[in-house]
PDB file of all heavy atoms in Angstrom:
ATOM      1  N   ARG B 258     -62.505 -21.577 -71.247  1.00  0.00           N
ATOM      2  CA  ARG B 258     -61.706 -20.560 -70.548  1.00  0.00           C
ATOM      3  C   ARG B 258     -60.927 -19.679 -71.514  1.00  0.00           C
ATOM      4  O   ARG B 258     -60.327 -18.679 -71.118  1.00  0.00           O
ATOM      5  CB  ARG B 258     -60.706 -21.228 -69.595  1.00  0.00           C
ATOM      6  CG  ARG B 258     -61.316 -21.801 -68.327  1.00  0.00           C
ATOM      7  CD  ARG B 258     -60.252 -21.952 -67.225  1.00  0.00           C
ATOM      8  NE  ARG B 258     -59.046 -22.665 -67.649  1.00  0.00           N
ATOM      9  CZ  ARG B 258     -57.796 -22.197 -67.499  1.00  0.00           C
ATOM     10  NH1 ARG B 258     -57.591 -21.018 -66.943  1.00  0.00           N
ATOM     11  NH2 ARG B 258     -56.765 -22.911 -67.902  1.00  0.00           N
ATOM     12  N   GLN B 259     -60.830 -20.119 -72.774  1.00  0.00           N
ATOM     13  CA  GLN B 259     -59.981 -19.436 -73.749  1.00  0.00           C
ATOM     14  C   GLN B 259     -58.542 -19.334 -73.221  1.00  0.00           C
ATOM     15  O   GLN B 259     -57.908 -18.278 -73.291  1.00  0.00           O
ATOM     16  CB  GLN B 259     -60.541 -18.050 -74.091  1.00  0.00           C
ATOM     17  CG  GLN B 259     -61.789 -18.087 -74.972  1.00  0.00           C
ATOM     18  CD  GLN B 259     -61.495 -18.610 -76.391  1.00  0.00           C
ATOM     19  OE1 GLN B 259     -60.675 -18.052 -77.109  1.00  0.00           O
ATOM     20  NE2 GLN B 259     -62.137 -19.720 -76.774  1.00  0.00           N
ATOM     21  N   ALA B 260     -58.093 -20.419 -72.663  1.00  0.00           N
ATOM     22  CA  ALA B 260     -56.744 -20.469 -72.094  1.00  0.00           C
ATOM     23  C   ALA B 260     -56.301 -21.927 -72.058  1.00  0.00           C
ATOM     24  O   ALA B 260     -57.133 -22.819 -72.214  1.00  0.00           O
ATOM     25  CB  ALA B 260     -56.737 -19.885 -70.692  1.00  0.00           C
ATOM     26  N   TYR B 261     -55.003 -22.129 -71.855  1.00  0.00           N
ATOM     27  CA  TYR B 261     -54.508 -23.495 -71.753  1.00  0.00           C
ATOM     28  C   TYR B 261     -54.635 -24.005 -70.324  1.00  0.00           C
ATOM     29  O   TYR B 261     -54.298 -23.307 -69.378  1.00  0.00           O
ATOM     30  CB  TYR B 261     -53.034 -23.576 -72.170  1.00  0.00           C
ATOM     31  CG  TYR B 261     -52.843 -23.516 -73.671  1.00  0.00           C
ATOM     32  CD1 TYR B 261     -52.619 -22.298 -74.302  1.00  0.00           C
ATOM     33  CD2 TYR B 261     -52.902 -24.673 -74.441  1.00  0.00           C
ATOM     34  CE1 TYR B 261     -52.444 -22.236 -75.683  1.00  0.00           C
ATOM     35  CE2 TYR B 261     -52.739 -24.621 -75.821  1.00  0.00           C
ATOM     36  CZ  TYR B 261     -52.519 -23.402 -76.437  1.00  0.00           C
ATOM     37  OH  TYR B 261     -52.360 -23.332 -77.794  1.00  0.00           O
ATOM     38  N   ASP B 262     -55.143 -25.228 -70.190  1.00  0.00           N
ATOM     39  CA  ASP B 262     -55.027 -25.921 -68.911  1.00  0.00           C
ATOM     40  C   ASP B 262     -53.598 -26.440 -68.831  1.00  0.00           C
ATOM     41  O   ASP B 262     -52.989 -26.737 -69.861  1.00  0.00           O
ATOM     42  CB  ASP B 262     -55.995 -27.112 -68.848  1.00  0.00           C
ATOM     43  CG  ASP B 262     -57.451 -26.639 -68.785  1.00  0.00           C
ATOM     44  OD1 ASP B 262     -57.681 -25.501 -68.324  1.00  0.00           O
ATOM     45  OD2 ASP B 262     -58.346 -27.406 -69.209  1.00  0.00           O
ATOM     46  N   PHE B 263     -53.081 -26.532 -67.635  1.00  0.00           N
ATOM     47  CA  PHE B 263     -51.754 -27.144 -67.487  1.00  0.00           C
ATOM     48  C   PHE B 263     -51.634 -27.799 -66.127  1.00  0.00           C
ATOM     49  O   PHE B 263     -52.458 -27.588 -65.240  1.00  0.00           O
ATOM     50  CB  PHE B 263     -50.636 -26.125 -67.740  1.00  0.00           C
ATOM     51  CG  PHE B 263     -50.671 -24.901 -66.849  1.00  0.00           C
ATOM     52  CD1 PHE B 263     -49.842 -24.826 -65.734  1.00  0.00           C
ATOM     53  CD2 PHE B 263     -51.511 -23.838 -67.133  1.00  0.00           C
ATOM     54  CE1 PHE B 263     -49.848 -23.695 -64.920  1.00  0.00           C
ATOM     55  CE2 PHE B 263     -51.532 -22.708 -66.322  1.00  0.00           C
ATOM     56  CZ  PHE B 263     -50.700 -22.640 -65.206  1.00  0.00           C
ATOM     57  N   GLY B 264     -50.594 -28.616 -65.997  1.00  0.00           N
ATOM     58  CA  GLY B 264     -50.427 -29.434 -64.791  1.00  0.00           C
ATOM     59  C   GLY B 264     -49.917 -28.649 -63.593  1.00  0.00           C
ATOM     60  O   GLY B 264     -49.604 -27.467 -63.688  1.00  0.00           O
ATOM     61  N   GLU B 265     -49.824 -29.345 -62.490  1.00  0.00           N
ATOM     62  CA  GLU B 265     -49.415 -28.724 -61.232  1.00  0.00           C
ATOM     63  C   GLU B 265     -47.883 -28.673 -61.140  1.00  0.00           C
ATOM     64  O   GLU B 265     -47.200 -29.643 -61.434  1.00  0.00           O
ATOM     65  CB  GLU B 265     -49.998 -29.560 -60.075  1.00  0.00           C
ATOM     66  CG  GLU B 265     -49.794 -28.999 -58.699  1.00  0.00           C
ATOM     67  CD  GLU B 265     -50.713 -27.814 -58.392  1.00  0.00           C
ATOM     68  OE1 GLU B 265     -51.663 -27.567 -59.162  1.00  0.00           O
ATOM     69  OE2 GLU B 265     -50.463 -27.133 -57.384  1.00  0.00           O
ATOM     70  N   VAL B 266     -47.393 -27.524 -60.753  1.00  0.00           N
ATOM     71  CA  VAL B 266     -45.953 -27.362 -60.541  1.00  0.00           C
ATOM     72  C   VAL B 266     -45.524 -28.223 -59.351  1.00  0.00           C
ATOM     73  O   VAL B 266     -46.288 -28.414 -58.406  1.00  0.00           O
ATOM     74  CB  VAL B 266     -45.643 -25.866 -60.260  1.00  0.00           C
ATOM     75  CG1 VAL B 266     -44.213 -25.685 -59.771  1.00  0.00           C
ATOM     76  CG2 VAL B 266     -45.923 -25.023 -61.501  1.00  0.00           C
ATOM     77  N   ASN B 267     -44.333 -28.752 -59.407  1.00  0.00           N
ATOM     78  CA  ASN B 267     -43.800 -29.513 -58.271  1.00  0.00           C
ATOM     79  C   ASN B 267     -43.345 -28.529 -57.190  1.00  0.00           C
ATOM     80  O   ASN B 267     -42.217 -28.044 -57.199  1.00  0.00           O
ATOM     81  CB  ASN B 267     -42.623 -30.373 -58.756  1.00  0.00           C
ATOM     82  CG  ASN B 267     -42.009 -31.188 -57.625  1.00  0.00           C
ATOM     83  OD1 ASN B 267     -42.299 -30.947 -56.446  1.00  0.00           O
ATOM     84  ND2 ASN B 267     -41.165 -32.134 -57.981  1.00  0.00           N
ATOM     85  N   TRP B 268     -44.260 -28.256 -56.254  1.00  0.00           N
ATOM     86  CA  TRP B 268     -43.985 -27.207 -55.256  1.00  0.00           C
ATOM     87  C   TRP B 268     -42.929 -27.617 -54.254  1.00  0.00           C
ATOM     88  O   TRP B 268     -42.260 -26.774 -53.660  1.00  0.00           O
ATOM     89  CB  TRP B 268     -45.278 -26.775 -54.559  1.00  0.00           C
ATOM     90  CG  TRP B 268     -46.211 -26.111 -55.535  1.00  0.00           C
ATOM     91  CD1 TRP B 268     -47.393 -26.579 -56.001  1.00  0.00           C
ATOM     92  CD2 TRP B 268     -45.975 -24.863 -56.215  1.00  0.00           C
ATOM     93  NE1 TRP B 268     -47.923 -25.703 -56.923  1.00  0.00           N
ATOM     94  CE2 TRP B 268     -47.079 -24.645 -57.068  1.00  0.00           C
ATOM     95  CE3 TRP B 268     -44.942 -23.927 -56.196  1.00  0.00           C
ATOM     96  CZ2 TRP B 268     -47.185 -23.511 -57.889  1.00  0.00           C
ATOM     97  CZ3 TRP B 268     -45.040 -22.800 -57.008  1.00  0.00           C
ATOM     98  CH2 TRP B 268     -46.150 -22.612 -57.835  1.00  0.00           C
ATOM     99  N   GLU B 269     -42.780 -28.915 -54.090  1.00  0.00           N
ATOM    100  CA  GLU B 269     -41.749 -29.376 -53.166  1.00  0.00           C
ATOM    101  C   GLU B 269     -40.376 -28.978 -53.703  1.00  0.00           C
ATOM    102  O   GLU B 269     -39.522 -28.479 -52.974  1.00  0.00           O
ATOM    103  CB  GLU B 269     -41.872 -30.898 -53.027  1.00  0.00           C
ATOM    104  CG  GLU B 269     -41.219 -31.427 -51.772  1.00  0.00           C
ATOM    105  CD  GLU B 269     -41.235 -32.942 -51.764  1.00  0.00           C
ATOM    106  OE1 GLU B 269     -42.248 -33.536 -52.193  1.00  0.00           O
ATOM    107  OE2 GLU B 269     -40.218 -33.513 -51.341  1.00  0.00           O
ATOM    108  N   GLU B 270     -40.208 -29.177 -55.024  1.00  0.00           N
ATOM    109  CA  GLU B 270     -38.945 -28.772 -55.652  1.00  0.00           C
ATOM    110  C   GLU B 270     -38.763 -27.257 -55.527  1.00  0.00           C
ATOM    111  O   GLU B 270     -37.690 -26.769 -55.187  1.00  0.00           O
ATOM    112  CB  GLU B 270     -38.938 -29.189 -57.129  1.00  0.00           C
ATOM    113  CG  GLU B 270     -37.699 -28.713 -57.872  1.00  0.00           C
ATOM    114  CD  GLU B 270     -37.711 -29.084 -59.364  1.00  0.00           C
ATOM    115  OE1 GLU B 270     -38.276 -30.141 -59.705  1.00  0.00           O
ATOM    116  OE2 GLU B 270     -37.158 -28.308 -60.160  1.00  0.00           O
TER     117      GLU B 270
END
Side-chain angles (χ1 to χ4, degrees):
Chain B
R258 286 202 309 127
Q259 287 293 302
Y261 284 93
D262 291 335
F263 58 99
E265 186 75 12
V266 169
N267 180 347
W268 295 111
E269 200 186 321
E270 176 182 328

